[in-house]
Amino acid sequence: MPFEPLPEDRPSWRRAWQLADPAYTELAFQAIYAVRQGNLPPTDRSEDLSRKARLRVLQSKLLVSALLGFLSMGSLLLLNPFAQQLFVSVMPQGLYVATVLGALVVLELTLLWWTGLQILPAFLASGIVPLLRTLPVDAVTLRRASLILLLRLFDAPAITCLVLTPLAAGIALDSAWAGLLLLPAVLAAVTFAISLALLSGRFFVRHIQGARGGLGPTALRWAYLVLWAVPAFAMYGFITIAPAFLRYVAALVIYGPSSSLDLIFLAFPFPLTTLPAWGVGLPTSGAFGLDLAPIVVGALLYITALAATGWWLRTAPFRLAVETPLASLPTVPGTIRLRYGSIPVAVLRKDLRTASRSPGYAFLVLLPLLDAGALGIWTYVANPNPTDVFSLAAAAVSSAALLATFFGPAFFAVEVYGYSYTRTLPLPGRSLLLGKVALVAIIYLFSAAIVIALTLLRIFSPGLFLAFVAAEFPAILAAAFLEFGILFHRARRKGLPITNLFAGAWWAAAVSIPGLFVAGTPLVVYDLLRIGARGAIAAPAMGALALVELAIAAPFALSVAGRGAT
Amino acid sequence: MAASSIPGSAAGAPPLAVDRLTVRYGEKPAVSGLSFTVRPGEIYGLLGSNGAGKSSTIKSVVGLVRPLQGSIRVFGVDPEREPVAAKRMMGYVPESTLLFDALTPREFLEYVASVRRLDVARASARLVDFARAFQIDRELEHPLATLSNGTRQKVIVIAALLHEPPLLVLDEPLNNLDPRSVRIVKELLTRYVAEGERGVLFSTHTMEVAEQLCDRVGILDRGELKGEGTIPELRRHVTQGDPTLEAIFLKLTEEEEGVRDAVRTLTRG
């Protein structure tokens, strides 16, 4: 006899929360243990695993929140009277405040968006929302549950922005009213960031992860990934160009109304960040004749956009999550000829191919390269004095070295993909290690090549730059060997498969910091010798020390990895 | 044919010998003192209900799970001491089609062939044959994440067979396959062992498949071997008449009464 169904619940947020809560645990579990990729979870009790997964996700969110909080509190420094004096002589005080707050809000938007780019593919590809859809739950509750699930991925960072940023502005401007007036700008930044993350996450899942193989599609994938990684440079960009931008705005204000000035004041979030300055009566135009109309129009425009985005976001998480996650692709005749070489090269190619369809890993490859590009462009624009050539070479090499070393260990995490299958292959530990070290070395060499190529356009001293790159190169290899050696050692000691070392702040700290130490020591020695009037031996000493490090680290790592399989 | 003709194997050693294998996940026992041998030229079926310990046994054999006790020998080689040598002699089809999702089948098979150090021309030629046989030659350039479970299963079967290993370890290999591919795999396995030297460990809970394919079966229940032999041997051992393998299985695992109770409960009122 069929069941008599219970009376249907009316749509309620409480019911939606009840649905979203276990879904969130499942999402955290998938994100941390990567069980869908074949990773075997540790043998803890299942309740402990769930709790640990949620804790790890919370820790990640708190790290992002700490960075955002640091930025908010940093604005206090920029808004203090001393800092203002540097610029207020040439621009109205209110304008300065609006510009600083605008920069802060844009930074928050970019960091939240970028954080979302890391987690949204997991949300969309997890299949959790489609699973909820199979339950006899009304459509409104399902939409609400999906929205709650999405918002919980951003909760701590978003709350940090919404609370700390107005609070910091209120303290800096000594007015609670000013803090409250900043709220629309921050709310808009958070809403736009989550929406952008959702849309761009969907784009990546459909068009990057699902892209075909072959040279052309591979080049296209990397091009998209470069564009995707650019927001992460927002903070770096702001720090480097902020003074120049402020001077530019001040100059425009002095010359009076212009279309350039109008465009700047129309850009997000300037019209909204002008509100706190107005709220406390700071002059935004004064004697300089700033036109207020674009600011009012802009503020209304962005508040309308905020309302529209909020309305869209109400249903979008559900709609996008239940769509086919991957674009259906036409079948085409494939290349049946295999091409491959040694095992370490196979490991390297596999990692690069995986990274090209996995934004998180692509970022690890691209960050040092883009940083090198930014540094090179900045050097070119700054047109440095030729006498600074040694400092420039040292800075270029340091940047490439430290970034490649810091992110190196994360490449082991790529093994999570297809983890169980990899471990059934006759893959010697040393071959795996060499493949990973090769990847870090390539990133270093490419980064150094980019920054040096751009610097050479201003100061043509290729021999010196190449000598620096070569002198540091053994230290990069040593750092990579040490980092991967530590990972292997840890895995063997704990009895865990190497691939079970899920990404976590502790692992990165325990592995990356020794690596940074090894990569950085020759650079520090170079600096000390140069300062200490032993300039002639500084670079050779740097190279010699790097070679010694390599001679110690490589045998350690190779012996730890051994000839056995992973 | 002597097993010693297989590179890296010990003279006279069977394709697979499992002795008193015990596997635990924390406090939870999965396999307890299991012993069996896959002889040359045979397909050995490991049968059991869900959670009986089939996959844990297979994962121990291929090196995914570290046994608590017992020994495993692949053609006489200890996979714990010489994992690379043991893994070279094995081809493995896992229970689930979890692969490198970000790679295309061609990229994945290139990786597998490279790690296995296969001759490029020969591996390419075999891939052409396999891709056409399984009708996936038009899908070789799409990421595995975008392909159906059936296609992914075909890719993993190809990866296991590409290097013609002397021991095949197959965990529910026919899952998700279409009837044409099921037939091809069954025929391949039968011919594969016919030359008399290779062995296949085949796990399934589908009795009809085991009945059709396996030379001998071992029936696992809660991590212990409840019966082992050819199907006629098991029939003789269990009861008179001509019972199906399903009936033998239920008898050995003492589930007959449980099944009757369950059906009675579920159809009540």
Side-chain angles (χ1 to χ4, degrees), chain A residues 491-524:
Chain A
R492 294 260 159 88
R493 198 163 62 84
K494 297 286 281 185
L496 293 170
I498 190 77
T499 46
N500 214 3
L501 294 169
F502 50 81
W506 290 273
W507 299 112
V511 174
S512 291
I513 288 175
L516 284 174
F517 183 79
V518 169
T521 303
L523 297 163
V524 172

PDB file of all heavy atoms in Angstrom, chain A residues 491-524:
ATOM      1  N   ALA A 491      55.168  11.552   4.482  1.00  0.00           N
ATOM      2  CA  ALA A 491      54.214  10.544   4.006  1.00  0.00           C
ATOM      3  C   ALA A 491      54.636   9.144   4.439  1.00  0.00           C
ATOM      4  O   ALA A 491      53.814   8.336   4.863  1.00  0.00           O
ATOM      5  CB  ALA A 491      54.092  10.620   2.491  1.00  0.00           C
ATOM      6  N   ARG A 492      55.929   8.864   4.326  1.00  0.00           N
ATOM      7  CA  ARG A 492      56.400   7.529   4.712  1.00  0.00           C
ATOM      8  C   ARG A 492      56.248   7.310   6.216  1.00  0.00           C
ATOM      9  O   ARG A 492      55.865   6.242   6.668  1.00  0.00           O
ATOM     10  CB  ARG A 492      57.877   7.387   4.322  1.00  0.00           C
ATOM     11  CG  ARG A 492      58.098   7.420   2.824  1.00  0.00           C
ATOM     12  CD  ARG A 492      58.267   6.016   2.256  1.00  0.00           C
ATOM     13  NE  ARG A 492      57.991   6.005   0.820  1.00  0.00           N
ATOM     14  CZ  ARG A 492      58.892   6.252  -0.115  1.00  0.00           C
ATOM     15  NH1 ARG A 492      60.125   6.531   0.222  1.00  0.00           N
ATOM     16  NH2 ARG A 492      58.563   6.208  -1.380  1.00  0.00           N
ATOM     17  N   ARG A 493      56.587   8.346   6.997  1.00  0.00           N
ATOM     18  CA  ARG A 493      56.572   8.198   8.452  1.00  0.00           C
ATOM     19  C   ARG A 493      55.149   7.992   8.966  1.00  0.00           C
ATOM     20  O   ARG A 493      54.907   7.225   9.884  1.00  0.00           O
ATOM     21  CB  ARG A 493      57.182   9.442   9.099  1.00  0.00           C
ATOM     22  CG  ARG A 493      57.608   9.240  10.543  1.00  0.00           C
ATOM     23  CD  ARG A 493      58.563  10.329  10.975  1.00  0.00           C
ATOM     24  NE  ARG A 493      57.978  11.646  10.929  1.00  0.00           N
ATOM     25  CZ  ARG A 493      57.234  12.178  11.911  1.00  0.00           C
ATOM     26  NH1 ARG A 493      57.002  11.479  12.999  1.00  0.00           N
ATOM     27  NH2 ARG A 493      56.757  13.388  11.809  1.00  0.00           N
ATOM     28  N   LYS A 494      54.223   8.703   8.338  1.00  0.00           N
ATOM     29  CA  LYS A 494      52.833   8.606   8.777  1.00  0.00           C
ATOM     30  C   LYS A 494      52.136   7.402   8.157  1.00  0.00           C
ATOM     31  O   LYS A 494      50.979   7.142   8.444  1.00  0.00           O
ATOM     32  CB  LYS A 494      52.060   9.874   8.399  1.00  0.00           C
ATOM     33  CG  LYS A 494      52.556  11.148   9.057  1.00  0.00           C
ATOM     34  CD  LYS A 494      52.180  11.238  10.515  1.00  0.00           C
ATOM     35  CE  LYS A 494      50.725  11.667  10.658  1.00  0.00           C
ATOM     36  NZ  LYS A 494      50.382  11.864  12.079  1.00  0.00           N
ATOM     37  N   GLY A 495      52.819   6.705   7.265  1.00  0.00           N
ATOM     38  CA  GLY A 495      52.190   5.565   6.617  1.00  0.00           C
ATOM     39  C   GLY A 495      51.116   5.970   5.634  1.00  0.00           C
ATOM     40  O   GLY A 495      50.273   5.174   5.275  1.00  0.00           O
ATOM     41  N   LEU A 496      51.138   7.222   5.234  1.00  0.00           N
ATOM     42  CA  LEU A 496      50.127   7.690   4.291  1.00  0.00           C
ATOM     43  C   LEU A 496      50.700   7.662   2.883  1.00  0.00           C
ATOM     44  O   LEU A 496      51.893   7.858   2.706  1.00  0.00           O
ATOM     45  CB  LEU A 496      49.741   9.135   4.608  1.00  0.00           C
ATOM     46  CG  LEU A 496      49.007   9.395   5.901  1.00  0.00           C
ATOM     47  CD1 LEU A 496      48.930  10.888   6.155  1.00  0.00           C
ATOM     48  CD2 LEU A 496      47.611   8.818   5.829  1.00  0.00           C
ATOM     49  N   PRO A 497      49.866   7.445   1.912  1.00  0.00           N
ATOM     50  CA  PRO A 497      50.366   7.600   0.550  1.00  0.00           C
ATOM     51  C   PRO A 497      50.730   9.060   0.313  1.00  0.00           C
ATOM     52  O   PRO A 497      50.099   9.950   0.875  1.00  0.00           O
ATOM     53  CB  PRO A 497      49.194   7.177  -0.321  1.00  0.00           C
ATOM     54  CG  PRO A 497      48.005   7.323   0.543  1.00  0.00           C
ATOM     55  CD  PRO A 497      48.461   7.090   1.941  1.00  0.00           C
ATOM     56  N   ILE A 498      51.719   9.292  -0.510  1.00  0.00           N
ATOM     57  CA  ILE A 498      52.196  10.663  -0.730  1.00  0.00           C
ATOM     58  C   ILE A 498      51.076  11.558  -1.219  1.00  0.00           C
ATOM     59  O   ILE A 498      51.019  12.740  -0.917  1.00  0.00           O
ATOM     60  CB  ILE A 498      53.368  10.649  -1.730  1.00  0.00           C
ATOM     61  CG1 ILE A 498      54.031  12.029  -1.793  1.00  0.00           C
ATOM     62  CG2 ILE A 498      52.937  10.251  -3.122  1.00  0.00           C
ATOM     63  CD1 ILE A 498      54.912  12.309  -0.636  1.00  0.00           C
ATOM     64  N   THR A 499      50.164  10.966  -1.956  1.00  0.00           N
ATOM     65  CA  THR A 499      49.110  11.762  -2.566  1.00  0.00           C
ATOM     66  C   THR A 499      48.015  12.116  -1.576  1.00  0.00           C
ATOM     67  O   THR A 499      47.106  12.845  -1.917  1.00  0.00           O
ATOM     68  CB  THR A 499      48.500  10.968  -3.715  1.00  0.00           C
ATOM     69  OG1 THR A 499      48.274   9.666  -3.235  1.00  0.00           O
ATOM     70  CG2 THR A 499      49.395  10.942  -4.906  1.00  0.00           C
ATOM     71  N   ASN A 500      48.111  11.561  -0.369  1.00  0.00           N
ATOM     72  CA  ASN A 500      47.040  11.823   0.581  1.00  0.00           C
ATOM     73  C   ASN A 500      47.305  13.094   1.394  1.00  0.00           C
ATOM     74  O   ASN A 500      46.563  13.423   2.302  1.00  0.00           O
ATOM     75  CB  ASN A 500      46.903  10.629   1.522  1.00  0.00           C
ATOM     76  CG  ASN A 500      45.465  10.423   1.922  1.00  0.00           C
ATOM     77  OD1 ASN A 500      44.583  11.123   1.454  1.00  0.00           O
ATOM     78  ND2 ASN A 500      45.234   9.476   2.798  1.00  0.00           N
ATOM     79  N   LEU A 501      48.377  13.780   1.072  1.00  0.00           N
ATOM     80  CA  LEU A 501      48.702  15.006   1.799  1.00  0.00           C
ATOM     81  C   LEU A 501      47.896  16.156   1.216  1.00  0.00           C
ATOM     82  O   LEU A 501      48.357  16.874   0.344  1.00  0.00           O
ATOM     83  CB  LEU A 501      50.194  15.288   1.684  1.00  0.00           C
ATOM     84  CG  LEU A 501      51.069  14.258   2.383  1.00  0.00           C
ATOM     85  CD1 LEU A 501      52.510  14.464   2.003  1.00  0.00           C
ATOM     86  CD2 LEU A 501      50.909  14.368   3.868  1.00  0.00           C
ATOM     87  N   PHE A 502      46.670  16.269   1.673  1.00  0.00           N
ATOM     88  CA  PHE A 502      45.815  17.307   1.110  1.00  0.00           C
ATOM     89  C   PHE A 502      46.382  18.673   1.472  1.00  0.00           C
ATOM     90  O   PHE A 502      47.099  18.848   2.463  1.00  0.00           O
ATOM     91  CB  PHE A 502      44.380  17.159   1.608  1.00  0.00           C
ATOM     92  CG  PHE A 502      44.279  17.019   3.091  1.00  0.00           C
ATOM     93  CD1 PHE A 502      44.324  18.122   3.914  1.00  0.00           C
ATOM     94  CD2 PHE A 502      44.151  15.759   3.663  1.00  0.00           C
ATOM     95  CE1 PHE A 502      44.236  17.980   5.268  1.00  0.00           C
ATOM     96  CE2 PHE A 502      44.072  15.615   5.033  1.00  0.00           C
ATOM     97  CZ  PHE A 502      44.112  16.733   5.840  1.00  0.00           C
ATOM     98  N   ALA A 503      46.051  19.604   0.610  1.00  0.00           N
ATOM     99  CA  ALA A 503      46.592  20.948   0.816  1.00  0.00           C
ATOM    100  C   ALA A 503      46.127  21.497   2.146  1.00  0.00           C
ATOM    101  O   ALA A 503      44.995  21.357   2.516  1.00  0.00           O
ATOM    102  CB  ALA A 503      46.121  21.845  -0.320  1.00  0.00           C
ATOM    103  N   GLY A 504      46.981  22.105   2.859  1.00  0.00           N
ATOM    104  CA  GLY A 504      46.618  22.730   4.120  1.00  0.00           C
ATOM    105  C   GLY A 504      47.697  23.717   4.499  1.00  0.00           C
ATOM    106  O   GLY A 504      48.854  23.568   4.093  1.00  0.00           O
ATOM    107  N   ALA A 505      47.312  24.679   5.285  1.00  0.00           N
ATOM    108  CA  ALA A 505      48.265  25.733   5.635  1.00  0.00           C
ATOM    109  C   ALA A 505      49.468  25.168   6.375  1.00  0.00           C
ATOM    110  O   ALA A 505      50.594  25.616   6.182  1.00  0.00           O
ATOM    111  CB  ALA A 505      47.566  26.773   6.486  1.00  0.00           C
ATOM    112  N   TRP A 506      49.224  24.136   7.183  1.00  0.00           N
ATOM    113  CA  TRP A 506      50.343  23.573   7.952  1.00  0.00           C
ATOM    114  C   TRP A 506      51.382  22.945   7.050  1.00  0.00           C
ATOM    115  O   TRP A 506      52.567  23.114   7.230  1.00  0.00           O
ATOM    116  CB  TRP A 506      49.820  22.522   8.934  1.00  0.00           C
ATOM    117  CG  TRP A 506      49.048  23.129  10.033  1.00  0.00           C
ATOM    118  CD1 TRP A 506      49.510  23.626  11.209  1.00  0.00           C
ATOM    119  CD2 TRP A 506      47.648  23.354  10.027  1.00  0.00           C
ATOM    120  NE1 TRP A 506      48.481  24.136  11.933  1.00  0.00           N
ATOM    121  CE2 TRP A 506      47.329  23.983  11.253  1.00  0.00           C
ATOM    122  CE3 TRP A 506      46.637  23.089   9.111  1.00  0.00           C
ATOM    123  CZ2 TRP A 506      46.037  24.345  11.575  1.00  0.00           C
ATOM    124  CZ3 TRP A 506      45.352  23.452   9.438  1.00  0.00           C
ATOM    125  CH2 TRP A 506      45.067  24.071  10.658  1.00  0.00           C
ATOM    126  N   TRP A 507      50.856  22.173   6.065  1.00  0.00           N
ATOM    127  CA  TRP A 507      51.799  21.494   5.180  1.00  0.00           C
ATOM    128  C   TRP A 507      52.632  22.524   4.449  1.00  0.00           C
ATOM    129  O   TRP A 507      53.849  22.388   4.329  1.00  0.00           O
ATOM    130  CB  TRP A 507      51.061  20.609   4.169  1.00  0.00           C
ATOM    131  CG  TRP A 507      50.256  19.534   4.815  1.00  0.00           C
ATOM    132  CD1 TRP A 507      48.903  19.428   4.841  1.00  0.00           C
ATOM    133  CD2 TRP A 507      50.746  18.411   5.557  1.00  0.00           C
ATOM    134  NE1 TRP A 507      48.519  18.324   5.537  1.00  0.00           N
ATOM    135  CE2 TRP A 507      49.626  17.675   5.990  1.00  0.00           C
ATOM    136  CE3 TRP A 507      52.023  17.960   5.887  1.00  0.00           C
ATOM    137  CZ2 TRP A 507      49.744  16.514   6.743  1.00  0.00           C
ATOM    138  CZ3 TRP A 507      52.136  16.806   6.636  1.00  0.00           C
ATOM    139  CH2 TRP A 507      51.007  16.099   7.054  1.00  0.00           C
ATOM    140  N   ALA A 508      51.943  23.549   3.952  1.00  0.00           N
ATOM    141  CA  ALA A 508      52.658  24.573   3.190  1.00  0.00           C
ATOM    142  C   ALA A 508      53.720  25.223   4.074  1.00  0.00           C
ATOM    143  O   ALA A 508      54.863  25.428   3.649  1.00  0.00           O
ATOM    144  CB  ALA A 508      51.681  25.611   2.678  1.00  0.00           C
ATOM    145  N   ALA A 509      53.341  25.488   5.340  1.00  0.00           N
ATOM    146  CA  ALA A 509      54.288  26.167   6.229  1.00  0.00           C
ATOM    147  C   ALA A 509      55.458  25.248   6.576  1.00  0.00           C
ATOM    148  O   ALA A 509      56.614  25.665   6.569  1.00  0.00           O
ATOM    149  CB  ALA A 509      53.577  26.611   7.491  1.00  0.00           C
ATOM    150  N   ALA A 510      55.128  23.973   6.847  1.00  0.00           N
ATOM    151  CA  ALA A 510      56.178  23.040   7.264  1.00  0.00           C
ATOM    152  C   ALA A 510      57.132  22.727   6.122  1.00  0.00           C
ATOM    153  O   ALA A 510      58.267  22.312   6.350  1.00  0.00           O
ATOM    154  CB  ALA A 510      55.543  21.754   7.774  1.00  0.00           C
ATOM    155  N   VAL A 511      56.658  22.895   4.900  1.00  0.00           N
ATOM    156  CA  VAL A 511      57.466  22.521   3.747  1.00  0.00           C
ATOM    157  C   VAL A 511      58.025  23.758   3.046  1.00  0.00           C
ATOM    158  O   VAL A 511      59.201  23.810   2.684  1.00  0.00           O
ATOM    159  CB  VAL A 511      56.606  21.667   2.784  1.00  0.00           C
ATOM    160  CG1 VAL A 511      57.354  21.379   1.511  1.00  0.00           C
ATOM    161  CG2 VAL A 511      56.178  20.381   3.462  1.00  0.00           C
ATOM    162  N   SER A 512      57.165  24.755   2.876  1.00  0.00           N
ATOM    163  CA  SER A 512      57.587  25.931   2.098  1.00  0.00           C
ATOM    164  C   SER A 512      58.614  26.774   2.842  1.00  0.00           C
ATOM    165  O   SER A 512      59.510  27.334   2.220  1.00  0.00           O
ATOM    166  CB  SER A 512      56.382  26.796   1.753  1.00  0.00           C
ATOM    167  OG  SER A 512      55.578  26.142   0.833  1.00  0.00           O
ATOM    168  N   ILE A 513      58.463  26.884   4.152  1.00  0.00           N
ATOM    169  CA  ILE A 513      59.383  27.768   4.880  1.00  0.00           C
ATOM    170  C   ILE A 513      60.825  27.232   4.829  1.00  0.00           C
ATOM    171  O   ILE A 513      61.746  27.990   4.499  1.00  0.00           O
ATOM    172  CB  ILE A 513      58.874  28.027   6.311  1.00  0.00           C
ATOM    173  CG1 ILE A 513      57.657  28.959   6.186  1.00  0.00           C
ATOM    174  CG2 ILE A 513      59.954  28.658   7.189  1.00  0.00           C
ATOM    175  CD1 ILE A 513      56.921  29.244   7.451  1.00  0.00           C
ATOM    176  N   PRO A 514      61.061  25.937   5.068  1.00  0.00           N
ATOM    177  CA  PRO A 514      62.438  25.449   4.862  1.00  0.00           C
ATOM    178  C   PRO A 514      62.919  25.678   3.423  1.00  0.00           C
ATOM    179  O   PRO A 514      64.087  26.014   3.198  1.00  0.00           O
ATOM    180  CB  PRO A 514      62.341  23.954   5.170  1.00  0.00           C
ATOM    181  CG  PRO A 514      61.135  23.819   6.039  1.00  0.00           C
ATOM    182  CD  PRO A 514      60.187  24.888   5.616  1.00  0.00           C
ATOM    183  N   GLY A 515      62.012  25.507   2.468  1.00  0.00           N
ATOM    184  CA  GLY A 515      62.379  25.731   1.064  1.00  0.00           C
ATOM    185  C   GLY A 515      62.764  27.181   0.818  1.00  0.00           C
ATOM    186  O   GLY A 515      63.770  27.471   0.154  1.00  0.00           O
ATOM    187  N   LEU A 516      61.959  28.085   1.369  1.00  0.00           N
ATOM    188  CA  LEU A 516      62.260  29.513   1.210  1.00  0.00           C
ATOM    189  C   LEU A 516      63.600  29.855   1.845  1.00  0.00           C
ATOM    190  O   LEU A 516      64.369  30.659   1.315  1.00  0.00           O
ATOM    191  CB  LEU A 516      61.163  30.354   1.871  1.00  0.00           C
ATOM    192  CG  LEU A 516      59.845  30.469   1.106  1.00  0.00           C
ATOM    193  CD1 LEU A 516      58.816  31.217   1.952  1.00  0.00           C
ATOM    194  CD2 LEU A 516      60.039  31.178  -0.226  1.00  0.00           C
ATOM    195  N   PHE A 517      63.874  29.224   2.961  1.00  0.00           N
ATOM    196  CA  PHE A 517      65.140  29.461   3.649  1.00  0.00           C
ATOM    197  C   PHE A 517      66.308  29.065   2.738  1.00  0.00           C
ATOM    198  O   PHE A 517      67.277  29.813   2.576  1.00  0.00           O
ATOM    199  CB  PHE A 517      65.157  28.661   4.959  1.00  0.00           C
ATOM    200  CG  PHE A 517      66.386  28.894   5.779  1.00  0.00           C
ATOM    201  CD1 PHE A 517      66.512  30.033   6.565  1.00  0.00           C
ATOM    202  CD2 PHE A 517      67.432  27.983   5.766  1.00  0.00           C
ATOM    203  CE1 PHE A 517      67.656  30.259   7.308  1.00  0.00           C
ATOM    204  CE2 PHE A 517      68.576  28.204   6.502  1.00  0.00           C
ATOM    205  CZ  PHE A 517      68.688  29.347   7.283  1.00  0.00           C
ATOM    206  N   VAL A 518      66.187  27.884   2.142  1.00  0.00           N
ATOM    207  CA  VAL A 518      67.265  27.394   1.265  1.00  0.00           C
ATOM    208  C   VAL A 518      67.409  28.295   0.036  1.00  0.00           C
ATOM    209  O   VAL A 518      68.521  28.669  -0.357  1.00  0.00           O
ATOM    210  CB  VAL A 518      66.989  25.924   0.856  1.00  0.00           C
ATOM    211  CG1 VAL A 518      67.920  25.477  -0.256  1.00  0.00           C
ATOM    212  CG2 VAL A 518      67.152  25.019   2.063  1.00  0.00           C
ATOM    213  N   ALA A 519      66.277  28.661  -0.566  1.00  0.00           N
ATOM    214  CA  ALA A 519      66.344  29.495  -1.778  1.00  0.00           C
ATOM    215  C   ALA A 519      66.822  30.909  -1.451  1.00  0.00           C
ATOM    216  O   ALA A 519      67.487  31.549  -2.270  1.00  0.00           O
ATOM    217  CB  ALA A 519      64.969  29.547  -2.440  1.00  0.00           C
ATOM    218  N   GLY A 520      66.471  31.381  -0.252  1.00  0.00           N
ATOM    219  CA  GLY A 520      66.769  32.768   0.087  1.00  0.00           C
ATOM    220  C   GLY A 520      68.162  32.995   0.638  1.00  0.00           C
ATOM    221  O   GLY A 520      68.711  34.092   0.503  1.00  0.00           O
ATOM    222  N   THR A 521      68.760  31.958   1.227  1.00  0.00           N
ATOM    223  CA  THR A 521      70.062  32.150   1.888  1.00  0.00           C
ATOM    224  C   THR A 521      71.142  32.680   0.934  1.00  0.00           C
ATOM    225  O   THR A 521      71.837  33.658   1.264  1.00  0.00           O
ATOM    226  CB  THR A 521      70.514  30.839   2.569  1.00  0.00           C
ATOM    227  OG1 THR A 521      69.487  30.464   3.479  1.00  0.00           O
ATOM    228  CG2 THR A 521      71.802  31.025   3.344  1.00  0.00           C
ATOM    229  N   PRO A 522      71.320  32.117  -0.252  1.00  0.00           N
ATOM    230  CA  PRO A 522      72.356  32.678  -1.139  1.00  0.00           C
ATOM    231  C   PRO A 522      72.090  34.146  -1.482  1.00  0.00           C
ATOM    232  O   PRO A 522      73.031  34.930  -1.612  1.00  0.00           O
ATOM    233  CB  PRO A 522      72.259  31.792  -2.392  1.00  0.00           C
ATOM    234  CG  PRO A 522      71.639  30.529  -1.926  1.00  0.00           C
ATOM    235  CD  PRO A 522      70.693  30.914  -0.833  1.00  0.00           C
ATOM    236  N   LEU A 523      70.815  34.498  -1.613  1.00  0.00           N
ATOM    237  CA  LEU A 523      70.485  35.889  -1.942  1.00  0.00           C
ATOM    238  C   LEU A 523      70.845  36.820  -0.784  1.00  0.00           C
ATOM    239  O   LEU A 523      71.358  37.921  -0.987  1.00  0.00           O
ATOM    240  CB  LEU A 523      68.987  36.008  -2.272  1.00  0.00           C
ATOM    241  CG  LEU A 523      68.545  35.218  -3.514  1.00  0.00           C
ATOM    242  CD1 LEU A 523      67.034  35.031  -3.547  1.00  0.00           C
ATOM    243  CD2 LEU A 523      69.021  35.922  -4.775  1.00  0.00           C
ATOM    244  N   VAL A 524      70.575  36.348   0.438  1.00  0.00           N
ATOM    245  CA  VAL A 524      70.915  37.145   1.621  1.00  0.00           C
ATOM    246  C   VAL A 524      72.441  37.291   1.728  1.00  0.00           C
ATOM    247  O   VAL A 524      72.964  38.384   1.990  1.00  0.00           O
ATOM    248  CB  VAL A 524      70.329  36.488   2.896  1.00  0.00           C
ATOM    249  CG1 VAL A 524      70.830  37.181   4.152  1.00  0.00           C
ATOM    250  CG2 VAL A 524      68.805  36.522   2.857  1.00  0.00           C
TER     251      VAL A 524
END
